[in-house]
Amino acid sequence: MDDRHDFTAPDLSQLVGSRLCHDIVNPLSAISNGIELLALSGAPRSPEIDLIASAVGDAMARVRFYRIAFGAARAGETLSPRELREILTALYSSGRHDVDWQITSDLPRRDAKLAFLMLSCAETAFPLGASLQVTNADGVWRLTGAGRKLASDDALWGLLHGSGLPDEAPPPGRVQFALLAQEMAARGLMARVAMDEDSAHLTLSVALA
């Protein structure tokens, strides 16, 4: 198999993603530890410190999510359900989207990558927020979403149907669509997307073609 399409041999962009996330986590952790030490020292908790703590927590959550979604996923690596839930809870607990993660067993990192890319794509369809549920049964990954408003970009969602790249590269905020399409192609997977704008419902299923 051509290594460009072998998900066990990540391309350089995935390795760069992993490196950046790894290196950014360290200084963020240092800031978080510094805030905890200030609290233990008896220093008064000020609005400025609360703002810094909130910003650092949000950045840590995003970096941990991006490290899985955009980073390298080598064969044999697994993630526990506890770790995955912690990452999702930290990222989504105070945002517009609520995620019901139904996976209760250890998960290969490459499967977690697939699921996180699905979530990242689904977020864009619900600008006002939504309830998202992720399941995996009989080899089928399924993400369902319901919100107040459903907005879709046919060119981007078309990537998941194998329609090829659009005339222009996706903007940075939508790169997850191209990455998910690439991941599915590498693994011989096919996506089915069903959208109902009237009821603001979305179903995204990914399984073997």
Side-chain angles (χ1 to χ4, degrees):
M1 179 181 291
D2 188 336
D3 282 347
R4 291 174 299 174
H5 304 292
D6 182 358
F7 65 87
T8 64
D11 60 28
L12 290 179
S13 64
Q14 293 179 347
L15 294 175
V16 169
S18 291
R19 174 62 187 268
L20 287 174
C21 290
H22 177 271
D23 288 355
I24 291 172
V25 161
N26 291 332
L28 288 175
S29 297
I31 297 172
S32 180
N33 291 337
I35 293 173
E36 290 183 7
L37 289 175
L38 283 174
L40 292 173
S41 70
R45 188 84 175 195
S46 67
E48 293 81 4
I49 293 297
D50 288 339
L51 181 61
I52 294 172
S54 176
V56 169
D58 180 67
M60 284 281 288
R62 291 181 182 277
V63 168
R64 293 180 70 193
F65 181 90
Y66 292 157
R67 189 175 183 180
I68 293 175
F70 302 146
R74 298 184 183 279
E77 291 182 293
T78 61
L79 296 167
S80 70
R82 178 181 177 180
E83 181 178 1
L84 292 170
R85 286 183 181 278
E86 286 179 350
I87 292 172
L88 294 171
T89 297
L91 181 62
Y92 291 107
S93 61
S94 60
R96 293 172 298 173
H97 297 87
D98 177 64
V99 175
D100 179 13
W101 181 259
Q102 291 286 307
I103 315 303
T104 59
S105 59
D106 287 352
L107 202 61
R109 191 181 184 98
R110 61 196 183 211
D111 284 348
K113 177 184 180 72
L114 182 79
F116 278 20
L117 285 171
M118 291 172 65
L119 275 170
S120 190
C121 290
E123 284 182 31
T124 69
F126 295 99
L128 301 180
S131 294
L132 307 173
Q133 183 184 76
V134 181
T135 62
N136 182 16
D138 299 325
V140 179
W141 282 96
R142 180 171 286 105
L143 185 153
T144 56
R148 288 185 291 163
K149 179 181 179 180
L150 180 65
S152 65
D153 185 319
D154 292 340
L156 289 173
W157 287 99
L159 292 176
L160 307 186
H161 294 292
S163 60
L165 291 173
D167 294 336
E168 297 182 1
R174 300 292 185 266
V175 69
Q176 59 268 32
F177 285 90
L179 293 174
L180 179 55
Q182 176 180 289
E183 185 72 10
M184 290 192 305
R187 299 174 58 174
L189 302 174
M190 180 177 64
R192 292 183 175 85
V193 181
M195 295 186 176
D196 187 334
E197 293 190 9
D198 292 334
S199 62
H201 277 74
L202 162 72
T203 300
L204 170 60
S205 300
V206 175
L208 287 173

